[in-house]
């Protein structure tokens, strides 16, 4: 998720996916992330700043340090005002969040100093020389939370912020989880947290994801969902014979022809998963006020209008039309569904690799902390059994090695939920915000009877919608929640 004469931070499950090769990016393990805000005018964005950070917060004998990027914006700060900290996530931090976005409105309202801290191992924050498995042991949400604690302590000193100033953290998507957890783990440093679209429950098989996608598509029409189901079935049948295989290769502009002697089961799972993730992308970011997304003008209505238009041919032809539209929008010439190509990209340990924008790192976090695998296995079967959980577990093993198997994953997920508490958080001064058409709400807190930790569930909004700058299209529920969250922050600060 993504400033002014000044410096700051951002991101929520924050990936600015606009900068990635979206097609292969984070497939299946989190269309997470939010984009950058659409700026209403030109700004001079704040420069990169650097904070000296410990490599390993949990080994006192390890004195190694590295440079972590942050941004700051002091423009709105009033003496004795609060400090707002935007938490970075699984993508590079964007300075644009330092100048516009809902939290900046709150900062103006309350005279806050604003910081954004990039998450270790993403963007320009490189704790180690490369992304080898040996180095990725330092990549975890717990290390990231400790980074926040050290950052708060160090920044107080550097900017001479009084020790009793109140710090409020913000985050959306994975950083939404980090925001809540920062308040849980470091209450003496973090006074309050606005946790947006945060998945708090680690789960291996996140099949609920595509259930929410399906429900969102149904808001257009049942026919839209039926068309996808029909097309999936037609692809199934076509894959079984030579002419069908050739037709599919052509219709979907596949980079490599489907060939029974060379095409593997994982290639086909990959193909289905990429097709499905087109819909995930469209739903997750439906009509939010993001900037520079290649898909920002492709909404649920755009794709469903094509899918239900029987004049365009049989269901598979219509699905191919949607797929080709997405392909074109992402600037790719052909549809690369080869599993081995994805593995090659994901296995590159260089900071300059194609995946170093975060794909390899986030995959590591899903394989060692969260799961979150967006499988096709839920009923009703929009994409049928085409990419089950084994497909994702196999990727962990193929990318990181034989130790990264189902047993490690099961332990890791139990560990995460034991350490953080899953959906049972004992905490105060946290506000949770979710949108009904954001699939991630299924792993977050959307209801609360505790006035100290209110939850807002907005009917009709997508991932992290409340964090973006206001737009004319905003629905009344969204406008109301932004105001309510602002009042809650005001109460924390009094
Ligand atoms: C899906 O297939 C069913 C049965 O063949 C058909 O009646 C229906 O019209 C199809 N729906 C769409 C949207 O293609
Ligand atoms: C495949 O392509 C051939 C030739 O273009 C066409 O005759 C046939 O109907 C197509 N089959 C399907 C299932 O689309
Ligand atoms: C979205 O915008 C691009 C370029 O601005 C354009 O080529 C494309 O046709 C648009 N797509 C839709 C569905 O409006
Ligand atoms: C793909 O997009 C480009 C512009 O981005 C446009 O000129 C071209 O016509 C599009 N092609 C298709 C097949 O939609
Ligand atoms: C990793 O990616 C970089 C940058 O794209 C490339 O130069 C390098 O050759 C890749 N390494 C391997 C082992 O493929
Ligand atoms: C959500 O909004 C839709 C229309 O936008 C409405 O049909 C539906 O009843 C609403 N659901 C709830 C739970 O308010």
């Amino acid at each position: 998720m993504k400033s002014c004469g000044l410096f700051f931070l951002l991101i929520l499950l924050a990936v600015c996916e606009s900068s990635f090769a979206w097609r292969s990016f984070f497939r299946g393990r989190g269309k997470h992330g939010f984009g950058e805000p659409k700026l209403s005018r030109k700004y001079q964005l704040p420069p990169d700043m650097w904070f000296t950070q410990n490599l390993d917060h949990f080994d006192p004998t390890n004195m190694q340090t590295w440079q972590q990027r942050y941004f700051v914006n002091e423009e709105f700060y009033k003496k004795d005002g609060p400090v707002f900290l935007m938490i970075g996530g699984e993508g590079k931090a964007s300075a644009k969040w330092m100048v516009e976005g809902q939290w900046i409105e709150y900062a103006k309202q309350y005279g806050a100093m604003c910081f954004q801290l990039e998450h270790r191992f993403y963007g320009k924050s490189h704790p180690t020389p490369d992304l080898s498995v040996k180095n990725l042991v330092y990549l975890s949400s717990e290390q990231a939370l400790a980074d926040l604690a050290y950052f708060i302590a160090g920044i107080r000193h550097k900017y001479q912020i009084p020790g009793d100033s109140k710090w409020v953290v913000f985050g959306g998507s994975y950083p939404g989880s980090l925001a809540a957890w920062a308040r849980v783990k470091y209450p003496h440093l973090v006074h309050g947290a606005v946790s947006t679209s945060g998945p708090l429950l680690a789960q291996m098989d996140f099949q609920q994801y595509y259930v929410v996608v399906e429900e969102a598509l149904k808001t257009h029409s049942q026919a839209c969902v039926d068309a996808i189901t029909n097309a999936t079935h037609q692809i199934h049948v076509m894959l079984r014979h030579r002419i069908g295989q050739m037709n599919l290769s052509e219709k979907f502009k596949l980079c490599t022809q489907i060939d029974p002697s060379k095409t593997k089961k994982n290639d086909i799972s990959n193909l289905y998963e990429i097709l499905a993730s087109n819909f995930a992308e469209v739903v997750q970011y439906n009509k939010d006020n993001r900037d520079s997304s290649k898909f920002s003008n492709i909404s649920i209505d755009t794709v469903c209008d094509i899918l239900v238009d029987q004049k365009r041919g049989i269901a598979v032809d219509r699905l191919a039309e949607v797929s080709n539209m997405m392909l074109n929008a992402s600037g790719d010439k052909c549809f690369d569904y080869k599993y081995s190509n994805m593995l090659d990209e994901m296995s590159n340990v260089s900071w300059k690799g194609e995946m170093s924008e975060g794909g390899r790192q986030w995959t590591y976090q899903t394989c060692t902390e969260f799961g979150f695998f967006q499988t096709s296995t839920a009923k009703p079967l929009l994409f049928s059994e085409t990419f089950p959980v084994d497909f994702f577990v196999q990727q962990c093993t193929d990318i990181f090695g034989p130790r990264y198997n189902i047993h490690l994953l099961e332990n890791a997920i139990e560990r995460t939920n034991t350490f953080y508490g899953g959906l049972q958080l004992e905490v105060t001064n946290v506000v949770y915000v979710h949108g009904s058409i954001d699939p991630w709400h299924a792993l977050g807190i959307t209801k609360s009877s505790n006035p100290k930790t209110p939850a807002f569930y907005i009917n009709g909004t997508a991932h992290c919608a409340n964090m973006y700058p206001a737009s004319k299209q905003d629905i009344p529920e969204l406008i109301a929640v932004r105001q309510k969250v602002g009042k809650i922050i005001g109460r924390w600060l009094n």
Side-chain angles (χ1 to χ4, degrees):
M1 302 112 173
K2 340 290 217 78
S3 341
C4 306
L6 340 272
F7 334 98
F8 262 75
L9 159 62
L10 127 52
I11 294 231
L12 210 21
L13 252 193
V15 167
C16 329
E17 77 307 319
S18 50
S19 53
F20 309 123
W22 103 276
R23 187 179 35 73
S24 43
F25 187 66
F26 292 14
R27 285 192 317 239
R29 28 176 59 91
K31 289 282 163 326
H32 46 297
F34 55 5
E36 297 180 314
K38 190 180 275 178
L39 301 185
S40 60
R41 61 174 178 87
K42 272 205 172 329
Y43 292 86
Q44 190 176 359
L45 295 177
D48 291 347
M49 305 288 284
W50 301 96
F51 181 78
T52 301
Q53 189 63 268
N54 296 326
L55 178 62
D56 187 353
H57 294 290
F58 306 110
D59 176 3
T61 68
N62 186 335
M63 306 284 281
Q64 272 174 276
T65 60
W66 56 285
Q67 296 300 305
Q68 185 166 22
R69 179 163 66 155
Y70 71 96
F71 301 110
V72 55
N73 182 348
E74 298 179 80
E75 186 180 337
F76 317 117
Y77 185 57
K78 302 221 177 71
K79 192 171 171 299
D80 299 325
V83 187
F84 287 180
L85 172 58
M86 173 84 91
I87 301 174
E90 74 288 23
K92 68 176 186 233
S94 165
K96 288 185 186 173
W97 281 107
M98 303 310 298
V99 295
E100 279 190 31
Q102 185 56 42
W103 77 303
I104 293 294
E105 299 308 312
Y106 299 144
K108 290 175 188 165
Q109 190 176 350
Y110 296 115
M113 191 177 315
C114 294
F115 293 90
Q116 177 183 182
L117 181 65
E118 191 167 67
H119 194 294
R120 58 167 58 206
F121 284 95
Y122 295 96
K124 294 184 178 174
S125 295
H126 300 177
T128 55
D130 67 25
L131 296 166
S132 58
V133 171
K134 159 174 85 69
N135 286 332
L136 288 175
V137 297
Y138 302 110
L139 170 57
S140 71
S141 56
E142 290 156 274
Q143 295 279 8
L145 289 169
D147 286 343
L148 290 169
Y150 272 81
F151 181 76
I152 292 172
I155 286 294
R156 264 186 186 157
H157 186 242
K158 173 161 181 185
Y159 290 83
Q160 301 185 345
I161 297 165
D164 58 0
S165 295
K166 289 176 175 167
W167 286 67
V168 175
V169 296
F170 295 80
S173 200
Y174 162 52
S177 316
L178 292 174
W181 294 334
R183 170 68 185 154
V184 172
K185 298 286 180 191
Y186 301 100
H188 54 293
L189 296 172
V190 174
H191 185 69
V194 179
S195 169
T196 296
S197 301
L200 295 171
L201 182 69
Q203 192 175 83
M204 178 134 44
D205 189 346
F206 182 16
Q207 43 173 237
Q208 199 55 25
Y209 186 93
Y210 277 106
V211 175
V212 180
V213 169
E214 179 166 335
E215 279 159 11
L217 295 169
K218 258 188 218 157
T219 62
H220 177 279
S221 60
Q222 180 63 39
C224 183
V225 172
D226 292 344
I228 299 170
T229 312
N230 288 4
T232 308
H233 181 70
Q234 284 162 12
I235 294 173
H236 241 57
V237 173
M238 291 169 80
L239 279 171
R240 290 201 207 114
H241 59 85
R242 194 71 202 110
I243 293 178
Q245 289 161 4
M246 279 157 55
N247 285 10
L248 282 178
S249 302
E250 200 180 310
K251 283 186 211 296
F252 287 90
K253 301 188 181 172
L254 303 184
C255 301
T256 327
Q257 289 254 331
I258 293 176
D259 174 346
S261 66
K262 300 209 190 81
T263 306
K264 309 237 167 57
K265 183 162 169 263
N266 278 343
D267 293 329
I268 299 301
S269 296
N270 208 32
L271 182 143
Y272 277 116
E273 208 250 305
I274 297 169
L275 286 175
S277 64
N278 281 340
F279 295 99
E281 174 87 355
V282 168
V283 167
Q284 186 165 324
Y285 298 109
N286 195 40
K287 293 181 186 163
D288 61 22
N289 198 14
R290 271 190 315 171
D291 185 29
S292 67
S293 163
K294 299 171 192 103
F295 307 114
S296 54
N297 63 347
I298 303 178
S299 65
I300 293 176
D301 292 341
T302 320
V303 300
C304 284
D305 287 349
I306 294 172
L307 286 165
V308 302
D309 181 3
Q310 309 224 357
K311 287 198 293 295
R312 294 172 189 256
I314 58 172
V316 68
D317 291 335
R318 291 174 248 146
L319 183 65
E321 205 174 313
V322 169
S323 172
N324 292 333
M325 182 175 72
M326 306 293 282
L327 204 59
N328 194 1
S330 54
D332 292 333
K333 295 221 159 38
C334 60
F335 185 143
D336 185 3
Y337 65 98
K338 289 298 281 180
Y339 182 70
S340 58
N341 291 348
M342 178 185 70
L343 283 189
D344 286 349
E345 284 174 20
M346 286 283 196
S347 302
N348 193 323
V349 302
S350 158
W351 284 111
K352 294 201 183 70
E354 190 146 336
M355 282 291 125
S356 71
E357 290 274 20
R360 177 173 168 83
Q361 297 93 306
W362 180 244
T363 301
Y364 181 84
Q365 290 197 260
T366 61
C367 294
T368 57
E369 294 191 79
F370 305 121
F372 293 159
F373 300 138
Q374 296 155 19
T375 67
S376 60
T377 49
K379 306 243 178 329
L381 299 168
L382 190 54
F383 298 101
S384 74
E385 296 272 346
T386 49
F387 43 99
V389 80
D390 304 353
F391 172 61
F392 297 97
V393 176
Q394 187 62 44
Q395 288 177 41
C396 294
T397 308
D398 289 344
I399 296 168
F400 301 112
R403 282 178 61 205
Y404 298 81
N405 56 28
I406 183 93
H407 305 294
L408 186 145
L409 249 164
E410 280 166 352
N411 280 338
I413 287 165
E414 189 185 339
R415 179 176 181 280
T416 299
N417 289 331
T418 305
F419 275 34
Y420 293 127
L423 298 177
Q424 266 78 52
L425 294 191
E426 274 298 324
V427 64
T428 59
N429 292 7
V430 178
V431 54
Y432 306 102
V433 186
H434 284 277
S436 65
I437 63 173
D438 171 20
W440 291 98
H441 79 241
L443 297 178
I445 293 177
T446 54
K447 277 194 211 114
S448 166
S449 51
N450 183 347
K452 296 207 161 114
T453 55
F456 296 108
Y457 181 62
I458 311 171
N459 184 18
T461 57
H463 198 52
C464 305
N466 54 304
M467 299 186 67
Y468 294 98
S471 126
K472 285 198 199 87
Q473 298 178 11
D474 292 340
I475 59 173
E477 289 89 334
L478 172 58
I479 295 167
V481 165
R482 285 198 179 113
Q483 284 170 354
K484 285 180 196 162
V485 170
K487 286 207 180 104
I488 290 167
I489 295 170
R491 255 182 267 137
W492 295 340
L493 298 178
N494 271 329

